[in-house]
Every structure is written in structure tokens, then in C-alpha cells.
Amino acid sequence: MKVYLLKDVPNVGKAGDLVTTSDGFVTNFILPRKMGIVVTEGNRAMIENKMKAAVKKEQDSQIKTSALFDKIAALKLTIAKKMQEGGKLYGAINALEVVELLADKNIAVSKSQVEFPQTIKTKGTHMVKIKLSTKLQPEFSLRVTEIKEEAV
């Protein structure tokens, strides 16, 4: 049976896909959970229009994401922190600090998108990865420097 998926179905397809699957799976799983609609001659035109709109939306999203990828990959940011003797931080750099640095550059990402290859606890230059999608994961350079306190 041909079904147009309205939601992602594990091991079957993503929302917007046109899939062929068994009648029992469709009637017992997909339809009761409103995860898809059966393709008939009557609703074929409506489904094709939805598919075209979904493709257009996906293309627009990819264009925006790739532009954001280029912008992030070109960044070289600096953060100043208090340090112990020997150039070690009192704590580690966290995702929220990176999100705030990116927000200053008009780049909006969430904490869950920030990934550190290793914990940043020392001064120097470190790479930080931003997970925009499964395929697009730009890295940028984050330089950690020491705050110089003046004697009073």
C-alpha cells in the first residue's frame, strides 16, 4: 500500500516521503497514530502539492544552513578567563559561553548544538564544533586568554 508520511516513522521513512509498505502495518500502526495518509486517486494531487512544498522548504533550509556553515567556519573568537598559575582555567569553558560569544556575532545556536572535541581547561587555541545538521558541522577557532588583573 502506498502511504504519504506526515511524521517520521522509524525504519520506514521521514515526513514527506511516499513509501510502499504492507497493508497491515498501514492500518494497524500508521493510520491510527496519524503518521500518514493512504494515497488514492482522489488525494494524489493534494499529496503531490504537499511533496513539492516539502521539497521547496527543505531546499530553503539547506541554503540558509550552508550560509550559516560558511559564516561559522570563518570565525576566530577569543574569550578571556581567570586562570591559575601555569595557564589552567579554574573551570572549563561551557556551551553557554560559546552560545553567548556566537550571539554577539549574530549567530543563533542552542547549547545542544555546541560540541567540544575535548574539554577546554587551558589557555591557547581550541577547536569548537557546531552541529547544524547531521552533515553540516562547522568548526571554528576559540582562543582562550588570561584576564590580566591590575594591582590596586
Side-chain angles (χ1 to χ4, degrees):
M1 184 180 291
K2 286 192 180 247
V3 179
Y4 175 76
L5 297 178
L6 300 172
K7 297 179 181 176
D8 291 352
V9 180
N11 301 323
V12 176
K14 295 180 182 179
D17 289 350
L18 187 62
V19 296
T20 303
T21 187
S22 68
D23 293 353
F25 184 68
V26 171
T27 55
N28 294 321
F29 186 80
I30 293 178
L31 293 179
R33 289 171 177 81
K34 298 186 183 350
M35 297 176 111
I37 54 177
V38 177
V39 177
T40 62
E41 290 301 320
N43 66 5
R44 186 175 300 275
M46 177 200 60
I47 290 172
E48 288 175 358
N49 287 338
K50 281 188 175 188
M51 288 175 66
K52 287 178 185 174
V55 168
K56 175 79 169 121
K57 185 177 177 182
E58 179 67 25
Q59 289 174 343
D60 291 346
S61 175
Q62 286 178 351
I63 290 170
K64 289 179 184 176
T65 304
S66 64
L68 189 58
F69 176 91
D70 294 338
K71 192 173 180 181
I72 291 172
L75 286 177
K76 289 181 172 48
L77 299 177
T78 303
I79 187 168
K81 302 290 280 183
K82 286 186 177 181
M83 295 190 184
Q84 303 174 14
E85 295 293 323
K88 291 196 176 210
L89 294 169
Y90 283 107
I93 302 292
N94 62 40
L96 185 59
E97 292 172 316
V98 173
V99 168
E100 290 171 354
L101 282 173
L102 291 172
D104 291 342
K105 300 290 184 186
N106 296 324
I107 298 173
V109 296
S110 67
K111 289 190 318 183
S112 62
Q113 291 176 290
V114 178
E115 291 184 356
F116 299 105
Q118 58 191 16
T119 309
I120 300 175
K121 293 184 176 182
T122 58
K123 72 177 175 179
T125 303
H126 305 275
M127 297 305 288
V128 178
K129 185 188 296 185
I130 305 296
K131 191 172 185 179
L132 298 176
S133 69
T134 55
K135 294 179 184 175
L136 295 177
Q137 299 181 3
E139 288 187 337
F140 70 92
S141 172
L142 178 65
R143 197 170 125 232
V144 180
T145 60
E146 185 174 1
I147 293 177
K148 301 290 183 190
E149 294 187 27
E150 296 180 20
V152 179

